[in-house]
Amino acid sequence: MIAVTLRDIDGRAASSGRRWPANDATEDLVQPAWTGGGSISRTVGRLYATGSDGNSGACTATVVGIRTVITAAHCVRTSVKGAPARAATWDNDLCFVPGYQNGTGPHGGFIVRRVRMAENWQNDGLYVAMLEMNPGRDGRNLSEVTGTQPISFLADASGPAHFFGYPYTDRVLHCPGDTTWAPGKALLRFPCLMGMGSSGGPYVSGDAAAEGTVVAVNVSGDGNASYGTALGGFAQRLCQQSESG
């Protein structure tokens, strides 16, 4: 059994009128902006965090349950050089802004209640975190506001797919492509580069991008491609725990 680490966070709902701190690119985007609407425009958003050193950052995340958001593990923890994964420090002030666009959250902001991830989260296939969200200020669960993006833990994640992310841009970007298994790695290779901030962004299977199914989350990249963790039984277990509270 893979050890799960759990962090409870005491937070309240964020204001829907708040402008979110970001130094976003608005032109010369590294990839095209997503203009296809659908559930993607509501369920994918920016995840803000403050590291233990006080520096702020942002990743990408997706609504995949009644109260659950999925992202990459390093989006909520910061590694300690030379130390094992379980020694990583926890990030603070975790706040998710679905549909983030032009410096605002059209659906408001949601504070993370609880984080679930593997103790040894840097191991192959475990590089994922499930975030259980607090309700909004009006008492509604996140999915009642945004809807839910379908997710699969059993699908063959290779093949035609779409990658969505916020690489410090004022709107979500999009790449179509074919995912393949990276040689010598338990990671999916996606032939698209977005850069910092797109970590945690979903790889969505099939041709119907707007309503497609999340099969992996982006975790890294090199000079040629991006790489994601395919979702399997462990991610399913985390999601089930998050949904059951």
Side-chain angles (χ1 to χ4, degrees):
M1 181 70 70
I2 300 167
V4 174
T5 185
L6 179 93
R7 187 194 184 201
D8 288 312
I9 301 172
D10 182 17
R12 293 177 295 176
S15 170
S16 60
R18 174 180 173 183
R19 288 191 63 87
W20 307 97
N23 185 17
D24 293 333
T26 59
E27 299 178 353
D28 298 325
L29 304 175
V30 65
Q31 299 293 344
W34 171 247
T35 59
S39 60
I40 286 290
S41 65
R42 302 183 302 274
T43 60
V44 178
R46 291 280 288 271
L47 176 68
Y48 288 93
T50 303
S52 58
D53 59 1
N55 291 323
S56 60
C59 280
T60 306
T62 310
V63 184
V64 294
I66 294 172
R67 62 181 66 83
T68 302
V69 168
I70 189 170
T71 193
H74 73 261
C75 293
V76 295
R77 296 186 76 169
T78 301
S79 298
V80 177
K81 188 175 180 179
R86 62 180 177 273
T89 60
W90 289 98
D91 293 345
N92 300 305
D93 305 322
L94 297 173
C95 180
F96 177 63
V97 187
Y100 174 84
Q101 189 167 3
N102 299 324
T104 63
H107 309 294
F110 293 80
I111 301 299
V112 177
R113 171 190 291 168
R114 190 169 287 124
V115 177
R116 292 177 173 85
M117 58 191 295
E119 184 176 82
N120 294 317
W121 51 272
Q122 292 177 333
N123 289 1
D124 287 346
L126 304 183
Y127 211 122
V128 62
M130 294 287 179
L131 314 182
E132 182 184 335
M133 311 301 295
N134 278 317
R137 287 187 179 275
D138 61 2
R140 290 188 296 170
N141 283 318
L142 172 60
S143 60
E144 294 179 82
V145 177
T146 64
T148 302
Q149 201 66 31
I151 187 170
S152 177
F153 306 99
L154 303 174
D156 181 358
S158 61
H162 301 262
F163 172 23
F164 297 92
Y166 284 92
Y168 288 94
T169 52
D170 70 339
R171 52 205 185 276
V172 65
L173 306 189
H174 166 241
C175 286
D178 288 334
T179 58
T180 56
W181 289 102
K185 299 180 180 179
L187 291 173
L188 288 172
R189 182 183 186 277
F190 200 101
C192 168
L193 292 172
M194 284 199 192
M196 188 177 295
S198 65
S199 292
Y203 294 1
V204 174
S205 69
D207 296 325
E211 312 297 333
T213 300
V214 178
V215 294
V217 293
N218 188 55
V219 299
S220 65
D222 58 22
N224 301 304
S226 298
Y227 298 89
T229 295
L231 306 180
F234 178 69
Q236 183 178 32
R237 174 184 166 199
L238 293 184
C239 190
Q240 290 171 341
Q241 291 175 348
S242 179
E243 288 294 273
S244 64

